[in-house]
């Protein structure tokens, strides 16, 4: 029997946090899915964000983590059953950019259900990967929103029925996330420009030595040809 | 032994369009080989000639039809056919079973197909990148896809010709979301190229492994998954590391896994642009690069639509 590997879906933290509906398979061996308010059906997700916290909840063998994106944060747990991630977590110190591939689990609380992530692998990342992730996640979320507004997929219909999703809220979430990335890119460009201007004005170290030398020579009236 | 000769004679006549009785073949072969101690190849020839006479066939008719027809890969569309193909070995995969000596992907200018060399066939190993004529192979269908099986009656002959391989080239952008543990600095069997564990090859026993560098992983774009293998050339292009520098790192740290940790740090979760041929779960990497900047045009377009 060959198993099809589950795709890692792209979901913003806020939408993830607002998800509560589990789709179970026919038998207990079938994979479980979390249906999100815009109709993503996910068993696994991929996130690039900022590791905000790692908290030891059990002698270094059970950690609670929190990873932020521009819309909110993902709560997660890493334990002995995720040896790769447990091993990698040792080298990570918040705050820092991380990339995470994670399975989804859902806690059934008394008042509500809380989705969380169980990282299979976690590793240091960078701001470029974070920006690429936000844009990719924005595009895929927007596609789901458009499908929901047109009621063109079964999962969109189901999600609207369950959550009564107001898509304008999620459009705003996507827009805000994109604006943040756009703002940062513009800021980075300004910084780059400043750096270039600074370079032009700033004398290279060699110039200073020669200047000092010239001053020294003027004072002492040495013959340059001796040097 | 005897059964193989019986089957071979029967199938030679069968592919010429004539059915002959296996029991009759066996009885005659048995008589010549075991009673008269005739050498096997002489006995086979004699029995074949007997049936040619019986059917009033000229030997060249049988010779001409003996080889199974040469076909292009794109023409293979039903199981149970005996065919001959001229192919290049595109990729060797790890064998899924003790009964399989080699498994992988072969291609010609019309397409690619999975091939399986059964251990019982006793055929010598084929190598990636070399071209061969596979004669008398049997087409088969496995999980909805065509494949070819190389059995005892098949022949594998290496050819000088460099077969051009057609492929459905695709280009994808996705994140490397998983790296398998049998990645990094590995050793391969010098005889058959299999990846070794503890320098033991399942076929050639204890061998002096040859070092290689690779990443077996999964690239995922949020909609589809692609299993990829990044070879030494790909890894050198992406990270600057090659087998030599990986060996040095392993020697300095006294730990081969430090190479994998190092590569993981540079590659896990990174966005890659890969062009290559898609084959089932696999994407055969042709060219791979990091995505090095944000597509600001896409960003603006998304902001307009949202
Ligand atoms: Zn071997």
């Amino acid at each position: 029997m060959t198993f099809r590997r589950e795709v890692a879906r792209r979901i913003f933290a806020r939408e993830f946090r607002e998800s509560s509906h589990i789709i179970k398979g026919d038998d207990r061996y079938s994979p479980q899915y979390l249906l999100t308010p815009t109709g993503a059906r996910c068993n696994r997700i991929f996130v690039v964000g900022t590791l905000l916290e790692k908290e030891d909840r059990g002698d270094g063998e059970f950690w609670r983590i929190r990873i932020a994106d521009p819309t909110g944060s993902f709560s997660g747990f890493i334990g002995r059953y995720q040896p790769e991630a447990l091993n990698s977590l040792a080298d990570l110190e918040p705050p820092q950019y991380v990339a995470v591939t994670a399975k989804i689990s859902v806690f059934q609380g008394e008042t509500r259900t809380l989705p969380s992530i169980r990282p299979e692998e976690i590793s240091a990342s960078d701001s470029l990967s974070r920006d690429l992730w936000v844009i990719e996640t924005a595009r895929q979320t927007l596609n789901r929103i458009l499908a929901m507004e047109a009621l063109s997929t079964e999962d969109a219909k189901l999600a609207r029925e369950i959550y009564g999703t107001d898509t304008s809220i999620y459009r705003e979430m996507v827009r805000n996330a994109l604006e943040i990335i756009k703002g940062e890119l513009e800021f980075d460009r300004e910084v780059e420009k400043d750096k270039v201007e600074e370079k032009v004005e700033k004398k290279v170290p060699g110039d200073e030595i020669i200047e000092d030398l010239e001053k020294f020579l003027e004072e002492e009236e040495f013959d340059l040809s001796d040097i | 032994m005897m059964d193989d000769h019986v089957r071979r004679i029967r199938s030679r006549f069968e592919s010429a369009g004539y059915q002959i009785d296996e029991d009759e073949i066996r009885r005659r072969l048995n008589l010549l080989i075991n009673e008269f101690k005739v050498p096997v190849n002489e006995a086979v020839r004699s029995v074949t000639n007997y049936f040619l006479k019986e059917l009033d066939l000229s030997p060249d008719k049988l010779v001409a039809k003996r080889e199974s027809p040469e076909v292009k890969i794109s023409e293979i569309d039903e199981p149970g056919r005996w065919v001959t193909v001229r192919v290049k070995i595109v990729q060797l995969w790890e064998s899924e079973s003790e009964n399989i000596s080699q498994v992988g992907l072969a291609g010609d200018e019309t397409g690619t197909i999975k091939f399986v060399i059964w251990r019982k066939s006793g055929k010598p190993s084929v190598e990636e990148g070399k071209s061969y004529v596979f004669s008398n192979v049997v087409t088969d269908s496995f999980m909805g896809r065509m494949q070819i099986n190389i059995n005892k009656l098949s022949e594998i002959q290496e050819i000088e010709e460099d077969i051009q391989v057609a492929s459905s080239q695709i280009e994808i952008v996705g994140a490397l979301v998983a790296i398998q543990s049998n990645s990094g600095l590995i050793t391969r069997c010098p005889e058959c190229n299999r990846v070794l564990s503890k320098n033991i090859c399942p076929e050639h026993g204890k061998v002096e492994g040859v070092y290689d560098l690779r990443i077996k992983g999964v690239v995922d774009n949020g909609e589809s998954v692609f299993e990829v293998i990044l070879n030494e050339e790909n890894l050198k292009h992406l990270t600057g590391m090659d087998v030599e520098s990986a060996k040095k790192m392993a020697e300095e740290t006294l730990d081969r896994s430090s190479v994998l940790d190092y590569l993981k740090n540079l590659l896990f979760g990174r966005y890659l642009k890969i062009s290559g041929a898609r084959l089932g779960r696999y994407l055969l990497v042709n060219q791979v690069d990091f995505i090095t900047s944000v597509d600001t045009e896409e960003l603006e377009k998304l902001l307009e639509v949202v």
Side-chain angles (χ1 to χ4, degrees):
Chain A
M1 173 131 186
T2 47
F3 288 93
R4 193 168 51 89
R5 184 186 162 92
E6 293 287 342
V7 172
R9 301 290 170 193
R10 311 297 203 257
I11 313 290
F12 282 123
R14 176 169 171 194
E15 181 177 355
F16 184 73
R17 204 167 266 264
E18 287 165 0
S19 307
S20 57
H21 184 75
I22 301 285
I23 298 172
K24 289 198 166 85
D26 300 331
D27 59 73
R28 64 196 192 93
Y29 298 108
S30 335
Q32 287 193 3
Y33 298 91
L34 180 69
L35 186 73
T36 72
T38 64
R41 185 188 278 253
C42 34
N43 168 276
R44 171 183 276 137
I45 62 172
F46 173 70
V47 180
V48 184
T50 309
L51 179 67
L52 285 183
E53 289 162 23
K54 66 176 221 196
E55 187 190 338
D56 189 351
R57 288 284 187 92
D59 302 327
E61 294 213 327
F62 191 69
W63 296 78
R64 198 186 68 84
I65 59 165
R66 209 146 64 81
I67 295 166
D69 74 5
T71 72
S73 66
F74 296 90
S75 286
F77 295 93
I78 298 178
R80 271 177 303 152
Y81 296 109
Q82 297 90 32
E84 301 273 313
L86 191 61
N87 189 35
S88 307
L89 187 67
D91 298 329
L92 300 172
E93 273 314 317
Q96 91 172 82
Y97 288 122
V98 291
V100 183
T101 305
K103 286 283 194 174
I104 287 161
S105 62
V106 176
F107 285 102
Q108 304 276 2
E110 277 184 15
T111 51
R112 59 161 301 190
T113 49
L114 290 172
S116 68
I117 60 171
R118 295 209 169 247
E120 299 166 295
E121 182 56 285
I122 181 167
S123 181
S125 191
D126 52 28
S127 66
L128 170 66
S129 301
R130 195 278 312 262
D131 294 350
L132 293 170
W133 180 83
V134 171
I135 293 170
E136 184 185 47
T137 305
R139 182 185 353 105
Q140 296 189 8
T141 305
L142 185 59
N143 284 342
R144 292 195 300 270
I145 289 169
L146 295 172
M148 173 160 278
E149 287 169 351
L151 291 177
S152 61
T153 67
E154 289 308 309
D155 283 347
K157 285 182 208 163
L158 184 61
R160 169 149 286 177
E161 206 178 289
I162 288 161
Y163 295 101
T165 312
D166 175 358
T167 54
S168 70
I169 293 170
Y170 292 101
R171 278 181 177 270
E172 200 187 323
M173 172 189 78
V174 171
R175 190 180 313 115
N176 289 341
L178 289 169
E179 292 287 2
I180 288 170
I181 298 304
K182 189 182 170 186
E184 281 197 8
L185 287 173
E186 276 162 8
F187 178 75
D188 288 350
R189 263 197 298 275
E190 288 301 315
V191 171
E192 277 302 310
K193 222 163 53 185
D194 288 352
K195 268 191 205 154
V196 173
E197 279 162 14
E198 253 173 58
K199 258 186 210 151
V200 174
E201 282 166 26
K202 204 169 143 193
K203 294 163 197 126
V204 283
D207 291 347
E208 288 160 33
I209 296 168
I210 291 169
E211 252 171 57
D212 286 349
L213 190 61
E214 280 169 356
K215 244 182 246 163
F216 171 74
L217 292 174
E218 272 165 27
E219 283 164 15
E220 301 289 323
E221 294 189 329
F222 268 115
D223 186 348
L224 273 172
S225 61
D226 278 357
I227 300 179
Chain B
M1 182 69 173
M2 182 71 104
D3 279 348
D4 283 337
H5 295 300
V6 171
R7 225 175 297 134
R8 191 169 303 157
I9 293 169
R10 191 185 62 90
S11 75
R12 281 177 69 178
F13 280 88
E14 193 177 59
S15 49
Y18 298 91
Q19 292 294 337
I20 52 174
D21 185 14
E22 272 197 20
D23 289 338
E24 181 70 357
I25 305 169
R26 188 174 291 108
R27 198 181 64 76
R28 289 183 176 274
L29 273 181
N30 198 28
L31 184 72
L32 293 176
I33 294 167
N34 295 327
E35 298 287 333
F36 291 94
K37 310 290 178 205
V38 172
V40 172
N41 54 349
E42 287 298 331
V44 168
R45 183 187 295 175
S46 166
V47 172
T48 305
N49 285 338
Y50 167 80
F51 283 107
L52 283 171
K53 244 179 236 152
E54 279 287 296
L55 293 161
D56 198 25
L57 289 172
S58 71
D60 60 351
K61 185 150 191 210
L62 204 54
V63 170
K65 287 259 183 153
R66 198 185 101 190
E67 294 289 313
S68 36
E70 187 171 319
V71 298
K72 295 295 177 200
I73 285 170
S74 62
E75 296 168 335
I76 296 175
D77 56 4
E78 57 175 333
R81 284 284 164 112
W82 289 75
V83 296
T84 293
V85 288
R86 302 168 73 82
V87 292
K88 182 193 258 181
I89 307 302
V90 179
Q91 197 172 55
L92 288 170
W93 302 335
E94 258 134 74
S95 167
E96 308 137 20
S97 147
E98 281 288 301
N99 300 326
I100 291 172
S101 144
Q102 280 184 304
V103 57
L105 185 71
D108 69 11
E109 63 276 15
T110 69
T112 51
I113 194 165
K114 177 180 171 182
F115 71 91
V116 176
I117 304 178
W118 294 94
R119 189 166 299 273
K120 273 191 177 165
S121 73
K123 298 295 173 233
S125 296
V126 294
E127 279 179 50
E128 260 176 36
K130 289 195 173 167
S131 298
Y132 300 86
V133 175
F134 286 177
S135 324
N136 301 320
V137 301
V138 186
T139 66
D140 195 2
S141 156
F142 183 69
M143 303 199 42
R145 302 185 73 87
M146 297 306 297
Q147 67 176 49
I148 48 178
N149 293 326
I150 290 88
N151 58 32
K152 239 182 223 175
L153 300 181
S154 311
E155 270 166 50
I156 297 178
Q157 195 191 353
E158 193 183 333
I159 50 176
E160 287 292 309
E161 194 184 337
D162 184 26
I163 302 282
Q164 294 301 304
V165 177
S167 55
S168 47
Q169 289 286 320
I170 58 167
E171 190 178 280
I172 60 149
V173 170
L176 189 67
V177 299
I179 293 176
Q180 289 175 21
S181 55
N182 52 359
S183 296
L185 187 61
I186 55 165
T187 50
R188 294 182 182 278
C189 173
E191 300 282 325
C192 65
N193 224 30
R194 272 194 192 82
V195 176
L196 303 174
S197 88
K198 300 191 168 98
N199 279 333
I200 305 276
C201 171
E203 181 156 341
H204 300 100
K206 193 152 178 66
V207 289
E208 187 75 27
V210 179
Y211 280 102
D212 193 11
L213 193 64
R214 71 153 183 200
I215 290 281
K216 256 186 113 170
V218 178
V219 172
D220 179 320
N221 61 9
E223 277 146 10
S224 316
V225 291
F226 305 86
E227 288 188 31
V228 297
I229 295 173
L230 302 177
N231 63 18
E232 186 197 9
E233 191 192 331
N234 303 142
L235 291 170
K236 187 167 188 183
H237 175 65
L238 289 173
T239 70
M241 180 173 259
D242 58 12
V243 171
E244 282 313 306
S245 52
K247 270 163 72 178
K248 201 178 272 175
M249 179 180 282
E251 277 161 20
E252 278 165 11
T253 56
L254 301 172
D255 184 5
R256 218 200 266 181
S257 69
S258 61
V259 172
L260 181 54
D261 288 344
Y262 175 80
L263 290 174
K264 246 187 199 173
N265 239 320
L266 294 174
L267 295 170
F268 178 80
R270 263 38 178 222
Y271 282 86
L272 301 171
K273 180 161 87 178
I274 300 180
S275 62
R278 177 153 208 190
L279 189 100
R281 287 149 46 203
Y282 297 93
L283 177 63
L284 310 178
V285 178
N286 187 17
Q287 173 75 28
V288 55
D289 289 287
F290 284 119
I291 300 292
T292 53
S293 66
V294 168
D295 183 349
T296 46
E297 246 171 68
E298 191 194 4
L299 179 61
E300 291 299 336
K301 215 183 284 167
L302 286 169
L303 276 167
E304 264 170 46
V305 181
V306 71

